[in-house]
């Protein structure tokens, strides 16, 4: 099969487009003909070697967590899915596991779902990590109708889903982004847009019930400044949690700090699919690259300030059993 794979940790200089042996699925696995893959920050961070102690040392390695495609084969113990099903999902690429940037991926049945009607492969691949993380953060912040919410970094992968989900819940949404992305943030449904420079964050006298930090690195002084007493801040980069800060901020200011993490709970998938079906959640895909140009997708995700989601499409494979 054709794959975009890495021969060592690093950037695009350590990765090539070429041939690798086809994967062989286990009894609980499905063999998926991959159609689309989205590039998340975690993909280029793992490719770069940031998590090498848990990511593993085996190369060549295929990266890419979120994917969508068509089932070609099912293992003996797979009852829920059948060949021909259009599916999507995400699977960790830690512990030497291969990812999805290839024509075929063997994946555990627990990691996938049938693509809802009306959703393209590209849209399906765009959802998992970013939308599940956005949903998790908003839930932890108890965002509901009438909540005043600030989404920090509202035009990236996580942020643009967070704006749409918060709006669907009836919240009043303010978002931060760079000046050039203002109109885009409004198109996602933001009621108000502001800059994220320290000066702009410090200057505002607005107070929010919740701050969902999609960017993940808002300074504690601004978190405390922007949150109402009793409000909650959820960050995508809250690892490891600074326990002392959590306790102090809670005791002194009555504000809660927590993490927004992707969880693959069936009810979360269902909520996203329902929002998509209602037209309240639509992945914004600005850049699509073919598999042989996956290096450009990684470079954009790592250095190019992408907007919304970046997708890699995978060329069709001629299989003997088709
Ligand atoms: N914990 C988890 O499970 C989980 C899951 C997914 C992602 N994450 C993490 O969440 C972060 C965001 O992921 P992503 O996929 O949304 O990334 P992304 O698509 O690259 O988007 C990053 C966003 O950050 C904004 N930004 C840049 N500098 C900023 C600043 N100083 N203040 C506020 N916003 C700023 C950008 O806006 P402009 O372009 O307008 O500047 C852009 O919208 C990453 O660190 C990622 O690793 C964690």
């Amino acid at each position: 099969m054709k794959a975009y794979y890495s021969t060592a940790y690093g950037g695009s200089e350590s990765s090539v487009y070429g041939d690798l042996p086809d994967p062989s699925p286990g009894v609980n696995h499905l063999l998926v003909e991959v159609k689309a893959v989205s590039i998340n920050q975690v993909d280029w961070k793992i490719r770069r070697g940031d998590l090498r102690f848990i990511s593993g040392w085996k190369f060549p390695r295929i990266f890419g967590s979120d994917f969508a495609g068509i089932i070609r084969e099912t293992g003996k113990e797979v009852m829920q899915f059948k060949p021909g099903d259009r599916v999507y999902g995400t699977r960790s690429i830690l512990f030497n596991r291969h990812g999805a940037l290839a024509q075929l991926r063997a994946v555990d049945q627990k990691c996938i779902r049938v693509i809802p009607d009306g959703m393209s492969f590209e849209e399906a691949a765009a959802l998992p990590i970013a939308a599940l993380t956005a949903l998790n953060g908003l839930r932890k912040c108890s965002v509901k109708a009438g909540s005043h919410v600030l989404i920090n970094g509202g035009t990236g992968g996580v942020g643009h889903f967070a704006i749409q989900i918060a709006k669907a819940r009836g919240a009043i949404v303010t978002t931060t982004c760079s000046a050039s992305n203002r109109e885009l943030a409004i198109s996602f449904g933001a009621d108000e847009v502001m800059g994220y420079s320290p000066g702009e964050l410090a200057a505002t006298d607005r107070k929010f019930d919740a701050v969902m930090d999609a960017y993940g690195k808002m300074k504690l002084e601004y978190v405390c400044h922007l949150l109402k007493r009793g409000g909650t801040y959820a960050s995508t980069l809250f690892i490891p949690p600074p326990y002392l800060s959590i306790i102090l901020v809670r005791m002194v200011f009555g504000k809660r700090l927590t993490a927004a993490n992707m969880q693959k709970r069936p009810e979360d998938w269902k909520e996203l699919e329902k929002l998509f079906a209602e037209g309240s959640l639509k992945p914004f895909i600005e850049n699509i690259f073919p598999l042989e140009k996956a290096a450009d997708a990684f470079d954009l995700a790592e250095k190019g300030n992408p907007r919304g989601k970046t997708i890699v499409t995978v060329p069709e494979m001629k299989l003997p059993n088709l």
Side-chain angles (χ1 to χ4, degrees), residues 1-5 16-22 60 62 102-103 317:
M1 66 173 178
K2 292 290 180 203
Y4 177 72
Y5 61 92
V16 289
Y17 174 71
D19 292 294
L20 281 183
D22 293 356
I62 302 167
Q103 287 178 306
M317 186 179 196

Side-chain angles (χ1 to χ4, degrees), residues 8 50 67 205 237 297:
D50 290 14
F67 65 97
D205 52 8
L237 288 181

Side-chain angles (χ1 to χ4, degrees), residues 40-42 45 129-130 133 152-159 176-178 181 196 214-216 236-237 239 260-262 301 305-306 308-309:
N40 289 282
Q41 288 212 7
V42 70
K45 287 174 183 170
I129 290 182
T133 303
N152 189 38
T155 54
V158 177
T176 67
C177 64
S178 51
N181 286 336
Y196 49 61
Y215 174 63
T236 54
L237 288 181
I239 310 161
N261 281 324
M262 179 191 66
N305 253 1
K309 294 295 299 179

Side-chain angles (χ1 to χ4, degrees), residues 72-307:
R72 288 302 169 203
E73 279 175 42
T74 52
K76 269 191 237 146
E77 289 175 18
V78 175
M79 299 296 152
Q80 237 183 307
F81 301 98
K82 58 181 186 321
D85 284 348
R86 297 169 77 247
V87 292
Y88 75 120
T90 187
R91 190 181 185 219
S92 158
I93 47 174
L94 297 175
F95 306 112
N96 293 311
R97 288 194 200 107
H98 279 307
L101 286 162
Q103 287 178 306
L104 294 171
R105 185 182 201 189
V107 62
D108 194 300
Q109 60 180 334
K110 283 186 254 163
C111 304
I112 65 161
R113 293 181 64 81
V114 169
I115 298 177
D117 290 342
M119 191 186 280
S120 68
F121 288 119
E122 289 81 4
E123 288 172 330
L127 278 178
I129 290 182
L132 287 168
T133 303
L135 181 61
N136 181 265
L138 294 170
R139 187 187 316 106
K140 292 214 180 133
C141 289
S142 306
V143 170
K144 53 184 185 299
S147 301
H148 286 265
V149 184
L150 175 67
I151 311 289
N152 189 38
T155 54
V158 177
H160 89 293
F161 286 130
I163 293 177
Q164 296 179 64
I165 297 167
K167 284 303 294 178
R169 291 183 169 207
I172 298 125
V173 176
T174 302
T175 192
T176 67
C177 64
S178 51
S180 58
N181 286 336
R182 195 187 156 77
E183 295 310 315
L184 186 66
I186 290 169
S187 77
F188 298 141
D191 299 291
E192 289 198 36
V193 181
M194 57 189 270
Y196 49 61
S197 69
E200 284 162 290
L201 295 178
T204 183
D205 52 8
R206 305 274 313 280
K207 300 281 178 203
F208 298 92
D209 300 301
V211 176
M212 161 70 201
D213 189 359
Y215 174 63
K217 294 186 235 173
M218 186 181 274
K219 286 201 171 145
L220 196 53
E221 63 185 285
Y222 303 126
V223 173
C224 291
H225 172 64
L226 292 162
L227 266 186
K228 287 180 190 168
R229 196 170 180 86
T232 303
Y233 166 83
S235 168
T236 54
L237 288 181
F238 213 55
I239 310 161
Y243 292 110
L244 191 59
S245 313
I246 296 173
I247 294 164
L248 280 178
V249 171
R250 184 95 178 234
M251 284 173 59
V252 179
F253 300 108
K255 300 172 187 185
R256 210 165 68 86
L257 310 181
T258 185
N261 281 324
M262 179 191 66
Q263 284 185 348
K264 293 183 274 184
R265 308 186 322 164
E267 56 268 44
D268 289 0
W269 287 109
K270 279 184 198 149
E271 186 168 344
L272 296 180
E273 289 163 3
K274 181 168 169 282
L275 291 173
F276 178 86
E278 291 167 359
S280 317
L281 185 71
K282 176 105 181 135
F284 175 71
I285 299 170
E286 186 160 67
N287 295 287
I288 301 184
F289 298 87
L291 187 62
E292 75 241 49
K293 300 269 183 210
D296 294 343
F298 271 92
D299 291 346
L300 176 70
E302 189 168 356
K303 299 166 199 147
N305 253 1
R307 308 191 316 164

